[in-house]
Every structure is written in structure tokens, then in C-alpha cells.
């Protein structure tokens, strides 16, 4: 009898540990902690599900849901999906939006004018417990990329102990992405990804602070009313300097 009780207790602990492991919430850095203080534009939605819920109560969303508007957009959206290689088993827009469970941010960290205009862009989204689902979508995307765009190159790399993926679809068409805890981040070039990893791992150095450490950014945040659904910061001084 004692053995049965002991076995039951052990099994209960194992199941509980498995549940806790599966449902654990990984650390997600704030977007402003990853990008450099020289970032030109930083826009963020601190709580995407809440902002999405509030947006659904606006007149703009009601207009979007009108049958006439949906009918008008049906063909252009279908053509856009076809142009992007949308397959039946690929996630649709609603499924992708459901992945976003925390902060979502967009940053422009640099730009060049010559030989052609180009901006360095960083996109981040905290997925929290939806991370396993996002990993499946990424695997599906890589599989479809190999099938329908065999010229594209996908490689796994590491920098300062953090693994990231680099996708080269063609000349000048590079995308890198990685997970920082539950925060998924994509960049338009590999050097920027290295900078983000350096900030996340504490290897950026005192001469390369993050935007979160910028006095100008902190001053701008202090003027915002709480709570706020979204925020945007334009680094005017850096733009003028460049």
C-alpha cells in the first residue's frame, strides 16, 4: 500500500512539474532595451491584446467589418496572398495576430541614401506562451521557402551564445530572426542582429547604450499619460546629426 501511495505521489509531482515547465513564461526584454540609443524611430504597443480589444470597439473597426468593405477587399487580399505564396496550410492574418501576447515594437535604427535609399528595420513581438506555435509556423515557412524558392538560403548561426536564423532570398534581400526569451525579433540585416544580441547579453559596452538608457527617450516616456495603448519616439537630434 505504501508503495502505491509513493508511486502516486511521484507521478503527481512529475505531472505537476511537466505542466509548470510547459506553461512557464520566459523572460522577454523590452524592445527599447535591445535597440541602440541612436535609433531614429521607435514605435511600440505595450500590450497588444488589450490594444486589439480596444480597437475592436472603435468606429474604424466597425467600418472595416461592414459587408460592403469586406466584399470590396476580398479580391485584392486574395491577390496579395497569392503573390506572397500563401498556401492552404499557412497561417492567416488572424492566426498570426493571435500570436502577439505582449509588447509589439517597430524600430528604424539607421538609413542610407547612397547608392540607393535603404532603412535598417527591427520588428519585435512578445509571444509569451504562444512561442511553441510560432516555432511551428516558422518551420512551415522554411519548408515552403525551400519548396517554392529553392534559390533562397536559410542558415542557423550563433553570436555570443544566442542562436539566430538568417534567410537570404536574393541579392540585397536578407532577413534575420531570433528569440530573446519569448520575444521574437526580426531584422533586415545580420549586423543589426549582432548588435541586438550584444545588448541582450550585456556585451554592448558602456559606449553603446540601449535606447532604454537614453535620457531623451526616458524624458519622452515621462511625459506620457498612463496607461497608453501605443507610443512613438522620433530621435530628432540623431536625425539632424545624420
Amino acid at each position: 500500500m505504501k508503495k502505491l501511495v509513493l508511486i502516486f505521489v511521484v507521478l503527481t509531482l512529475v505531472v505537476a512539474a511537466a505542466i509548470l515547465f510547459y506553461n512557464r513564461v520566459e523572460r522577454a526584454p523590452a524592445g527599447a532595451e535591445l535597440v541602440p540609443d541612436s535609433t531614429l524611430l521607435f514605435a511600440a504597443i505595450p500590450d497588444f491584446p488589450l490594444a486589439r480589444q480596444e480597437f475592436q470597439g472603435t468606429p474604424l473597426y466597425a467600418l472595416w467589418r461592414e459587408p460592403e468593405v469586406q466584399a470590396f477587399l476580398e479580391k485584392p487580399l486574395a491577390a496579395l496572398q497569392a503573390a506572397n505564396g500563401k498556401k492552404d496550410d499557412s497561417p492567416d492574418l488572424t492566426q498570426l495576430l493571435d500570436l502577439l501576447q505582449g509588447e509589439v515594437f517597430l524600430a528604424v535604427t539607421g538609413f542610407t541614401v547612397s547608392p540607393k535609399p535603404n532603412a535598417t528595420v527591427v520588428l519585435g513581438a512578445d509571444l509569451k506562451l504562444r512561442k511553441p506555435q510560432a516555432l511551428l509556423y516558422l518551420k512551415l515557412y522554411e519548408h515552403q521557402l525551400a519548396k517554392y524558392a529553392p534559390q533562397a538560403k536559410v542558415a542557423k548561426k550563433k553570436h555570443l551564445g544566442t542562436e539566430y536564423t538568417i534567410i537570404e532570398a536574393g541579392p540585397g534581400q536578407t532577413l534575420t530572426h531570433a528569440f530573446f526569451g519569448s520575444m521574437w525579433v526580426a531584422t533586415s540585416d545580420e549586423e543589426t542582429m549582432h548588435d541586438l544580441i550584444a545588448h541582450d547579453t550585456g556585451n554592448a559596452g558602456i559606449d553603446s547604450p540601449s535606447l532604454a538608457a537614453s535620457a531623451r527617450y526616458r524624458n519622452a516616456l515621462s511625459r506620457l499619460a498612463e496607461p497608453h495603448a501605443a507610443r512613438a519616439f522620433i530621435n530628432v537630434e540623431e536625425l539632424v546629426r545624420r
Side-chain angles (χ1 to χ4, degrees):
M1 184 65 181
K2 290 182 178 180
K3 288 184 178 180
L4 290 176
V5 173
L6 180 61
I7 292 174
F8 176 77
V9 171
V10 171
L11 288 176
T12 301
L13 291 175
V14 170
V15 172
I19 293 174
L20 288 174
F21 177 79
Y22 179 78
N23 290 316
R24 73 190 190 283
V25 178
E26 294 184 272
R27 179 191 68 89
E33 296 175 352
L34 297 175
V35 297
D37 67 340
S38 58
T39 295
L40 304 175
L41 169 67
F42 183 83
I45 300 176
D47 189 335
F48 186 84
L50 179 60
R52 184 182 180 188
Q53 182 180 359
E54 291 178 348
F55 175 71
Q56 291 175 351
T58 63
L60 181 60
Y61 182 79
L63 177 63
W64 169 266
R65 297 301 301 170
E66 285 290 334
E68 293 81 1
V69 176
Q70 292 297 309
F72 175 76
L73 295 174
E74 185 176 356
K75 288 185 178 180
L77 290 176
L80 180 62
Q81 289 179 345
N84 289 331
K86 173 72 169 66
K87 308 301 175 184
D88 292 338
D89 53 353
S90 299
D92 58 26
L93 179 60
T94 300
Q95 290 173 309
L96 293 177
L97 291 178
D98 287 342
L99 294 177
L100 312 180
Q101 294 297 302
E103 181 189 19
V104 176
F105 74 89
L106 173 70
V108 177
T109 60
F111 70 89
T112 57
V113 178
S114 179
K116 62 179 181 179
N118 183 53
T120 304
V121 179
V122 179
L123 174 66
D126 186 6
L127 311 180
K128 298 187 185 299
L129 296 179
R130 299 293 176 90
K131 178 179 175 180
Q133 187 177 353
L135 288 170
L136 291 176
Y137 288 160
L138 289 171
K139 287 294 183 182
L140 175 62
Y141 172 74
E142 291 180 8
H143 174 74
Q144 291 185 345
L145 194 65
K147 183 177 180 180
Y148 299 102
Q151 76 280 3
K153 299 178 181 178
V154 180
K156 306 290 184 182
K157 295 187 177 182
K158 270 191 175 184
H159 182 67
L160 299 176
T162 299
E163 184 179 270
Y164 65 93
T165 301
I166 178 168
I167 302 172
E168 295 178 295
Q173 297 178 324
T174 301
L175 173 72
T176 69
H177 67 86
F179 276 97
F180 298 87
S182 62
M183 174 75 76
W184 177 78
V185 179
T187 70
S188 55
D189 66 87
E190 191 172 10
E191 183 179 354
T192 300
M193 177 58 73
H194 288 179
D195 291 341
L196 301 182
I197 293 174
H199 280 110
D200 183 60
T201 57
N203 290 285
I206 59 174
D207 58 337
S208 181
S210 67
L211 181 64
S214 166
R216 290 194 296 269
Y217 179 72
R218 294 200 306 269
N219 181 51
L221 280 185
S222 67
R223 300 181 182 184
L224 289 179
E226 293 289 352
H228 51 270
R231 58 175 176 263
F233 172 74
I234 301 176
N235 197 340
V236 179
E237 290 84 351
E238 186 67 21
L239 281 170
V240 172
R241 186 185 70 81
R242 297 194 183 191

PDB file of all heavy atoms in Angstrom, residues 8-9 23 26 91 116 237:
ATOM      1  N   PHE A   8       2.101   6.992  -6.548  1.00  0.00           N
ATOM      2  CA  PHE A   8       1.102   8.002  -6.893  1.00  0.00           C
ATOM      3  C   PHE A   8       1.645   9.410  -6.650  1.00  0.00           C
ATOM      4  O   PHE A   8       1.463  10.310  -7.471  1.00  0.00           O
ATOM      5  CB  PHE A   8      -0.161   7.773  -6.066  1.00  0.00           C
ATOM      6  CG  PHE A   8      -1.219   8.833  -6.275  1.00  0.00           C
ATOM      7  CD1 PHE A   8      -2.016   8.823  -7.414  1.00  0.00           C
ATOM      8  CD2 PHE A   8      -1.395   9.840  -5.338  1.00  0.00           C
ATOM      9  CE1 PHE A   8      -2.979   9.793  -7.615  1.00  0.00           C
ATOM     10  CE2 PHE A   8      -2.354  10.818  -5.538  1.00  0.00           C
ATOM     11  CZ  PHE A   8      -3.151  10.794  -6.674  1.00  0.00           C
ATOM     12  N   VAL A   9       2.335   9.591  -5.521  1.00  0.00           N
ATOM     13  CA  VAL A   9       2.908  10.906  -5.197  1.00  0.00           C
ATOM     14  C   VAL A   9       3.956  11.298  -6.225  1.00  0.00           C
ATOM     15  O   VAL A   9       4.006  12.441  -6.700  1.00  0.00           O
ATOM     16  CB  VAL A   9       3.505  10.900  -3.771  1.00  0.00           C
ATOM     17  CG1 VAL A   9       4.287  12.192  -3.526  1.00  0.00           C
ATOM     18  CG2 VAL A   9       2.405  10.742  -2.733  1.00  0.00           C
ATOM     19  N   ASN A  23       4.045  25.484 -19.166  1.00  0.00           N
ATOM     20  CA  ASN A  23       3.371  26.774 -19.038  1.00  0.00           C
ATOM     21  C   ASN A  23       4.262  27.888 -18.508  1.00  0.00           C
ATOM     22  O   ASN A  23       3.772  28.963 -18.187  1.00  0.00           O
ATOM     23  CB  ASN A  23       2.148  26.643 -18.122  1.00  0.00           C
ATOM     24  CG  ASN A  23       1.034  25.836 -18.757  1.00  0.00           C
ATOM     25  OD1 ASN A  23       0.730  26.030 -19.914  1.00  0.00           O
ATOM     26  ND2 ASN A  23       0.447  24.927 -18.009  1.00  0.00           N
ATOM     27  N   GLU A  26       8.673  32.677 -20.306  1.00  0.00           N
ATOM     28  CA  GLU A  26      10.061  33.062 -20.457  1.00  0.00           C
ATOM     29  C   GLU A  26      10.223  34.570 -20.318  1.00  0.00           C
ATOM     30  O   GLU A  26       9.289  35.343 -20.523  1.00  0.00           O
ATOM     31  CB  GLU A  26      10.585  32.613 -21.822  1.00  0.00           C
ATOM     32  CG  GLU A  26      10.652  31.109 -22.003  1.00  0.00           C
ATOM     33  CD  GLU A  26      11.276  30.740 -23.328  1.00  0.00           C
ATOM     34  OE1 GLU A  26      10.528  30.650 -24.311  1.00  0.00           O
ATOM     35  OE2 GLU A  26      12.505  30.537 -23.375  1.00  0.00           O
ATOM     36  N   PRO A  91      -0.628  29.952 -41.947  1.00  0.00           N
ATOM     37  CA  PRO A  91      -1.491  30.716 -41.043  1.00  0.00           C
ATOM     38  C   PRO A  91      -2.010  31.977 -41.713  1.00  0.00           C
ATOM     39  O   PRO A  91      -1.296  32.623 -42.485  1.00  0.00           O
ATOM     40  CB  PRO A  91      -0.555  31.044 -39.875  1.00  0.00           C
ATOM     41  CG  PRO A  91       0.823  30.987 -40.456  1.00  0.00           C
ATOM     42  CD  PRO A  91       0.776  29.898 -41.491  1.00  0.00           C
ATOM     43  N   LYS A 116      21.594  53.621 -52.915  1.00  0.00           N
ATOM     44  CA  LYS A 116      20.145  53.680 -53.039  1.00  0.00           C
ATOM     45  C   LYS A 116      19.546  53.797 -51.639  1.00  0.00           C
ATOM     46  O   LYS A 116      20.140  53.331 -50.655  1.00  0.00           O
ATOM     47  CB  LYS A 116      19.592  52.449 -53.752  1.00  0.00           C
ATOM     48  CG  LYS A 116      19.843  51.137 -53.031  1.00  0.00           C
ATOM     49  CD  LYS A 116      19.240  49.981 -53.803  1.00  0.00           C
ATOM     50  CE  LYS A 116      19.467  48.650 -53.054  1.00  0.00           C
ATOM     51  NZ  LYS A 116      18.863  47.504 -53.779  1.00  0.00           N
ATOM     52  N   GLU A 237      17.303  64.707 -32.636  1.00  0.00           N
ATOM     53  CA  GLU A 237      18.714  65.087 -32.575  1.00  0.00           C
ATOM     54  C   GLU A 237      19.576  64.182 -33.441  1.00  0.00           C
ATOM     55  O   GLU A 237      20.478  64.648 -34.148  1.00  0.00           O
ATOM     56  CB  GLU A 237      19.211  65.052 -31.120  1.00  0.00           C
ATOM     57  CG  GLU A 237      18.641  66.134 -30.226  1.00  0.00           C
ATOM     58  CD  GLU A 237      17.288  65.751 -29.656  1.00  0.00           C
ATOM     59  OE1 GLU A 237      16.735  64.722 -30.092  1.00  0.00           O
ATOM     60  OE2 GLU A 237      16.784  66.494 -28.792  1.00  0.00           O
TER      61      GLU A 237
END
